[in-house]
């Protein structure tokens, strides 16, 4: 798999506004936010997209990503009001960076228009 910009962020070779980090997960602010809070939550291992996920093999990692999302929501102070998790997959799914990531969007009443 080709390395992406996110690998450079994981290695701290390029800057990012990190909000949460564990040994296996990194969460940082999206450079082009689509909501008042827009955080990207990524595994440190390189998985290109959702189609590369095996529910059994990656079950622990998936659990950690969800735990991280809840932790980030807590850090941002949006856990009670709520937030949205989005995973874009592939060309028509709107994916631009082929390193699996969750978008956490929050901070206002979100609409429901994928266009
Ligand atoms: P995708 O479209 O692949 O689901 O989402 C990729 C996201 O990565 C986009 O929301 C885009 O703004 C964000 N992004 C792309 N390059 C960078 C970068 O260098 N730094 C940060 N913080 N976000 C980035």
């Amino acid at each position: 798999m080709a390395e992406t910009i996110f690998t450079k962020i994981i290695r701290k070779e390029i800057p990012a506004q990190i909000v949460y980090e564990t040994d296996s997960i990194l969460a940082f602010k999206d450079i082009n936010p689509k909501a008042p809070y827009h955080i990207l939550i990524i595994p440190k291992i390189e998985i290109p997209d959702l189609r590369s996920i095996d529910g059994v093999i990656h079950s622990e990692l998936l659990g950690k990503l969800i735990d991280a999302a809840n932790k980030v929501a807590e850090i941002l102070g949006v856990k009670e009001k709520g937030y949205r998790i989005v995973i874009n997959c592939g060309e028509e799914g709107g994916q631009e960076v082929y390193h699996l990531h969750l978008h956490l969007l929050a901070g206002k009443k979100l609409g429901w228009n994928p266009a």
Side-chain angles (χ1 to χ4, degrees):
M1 172 192 140
E3 204 173 277
T4 73
I5 192 99
F6 289 177
T7 300
K8 291 189 170 61
I9 290 175
I10 291 165
R11 289 203 208 109
K12 314 276 164 68
E13 289 170 6
I14 64 165
Q17 289 182 275
I18 293 169
V19 296
Y20 181 66
E21 181 169 15
T22 70
D23 57 346
S24 56
I25 307 282
L26 188 67
F28 52 95
K29 292 184 182 176
D30 195 294
I31 205 166
N32 182 21
K34 302 288 192 295
Y37 295 107
H38 187 169
I39 308 299
L40 300 172
I41 300 161
I42 71 173
K44 288 187 176 175
I45 59 164
E46 289 175 332
I47 298 173
D49 62 35
L50 207 50
R51 295 169 292 199
S52 315
I53 289 287
D54 179 299
V56 174
I57 294 170
H58 297 112
S59 59
E60 188 180 346
L61 180 66
L62 290 170
K64 286 180 177 178
L65 284 165
I66 299 301
D67 282 351
N70 283 323
K71 186 68 188 171
V72 167
E74 201 177 303
I75 291 166
L76 299 175
V78 300
K79 197 167 179 183
E80 198 175 316
K81 282 198 168 175
Y83 48 94
R84 180 173 297 164
I85 298 296
V86 173
I87 302 177
N88 295 326
C89 179
E91 190 186 345
E92 292 204 354
Q95 186 172 7
E96 289 171 5
V97 179
Y98 281 80
H99 182 123
L100 181 73
H101 52 282
L102 278 59
H103 296 258
L104 186 151
L105 301 154
K108 67 171 186 179
K109 179 85 176 164
L110 297 167
W112 188 244
N113 178 8

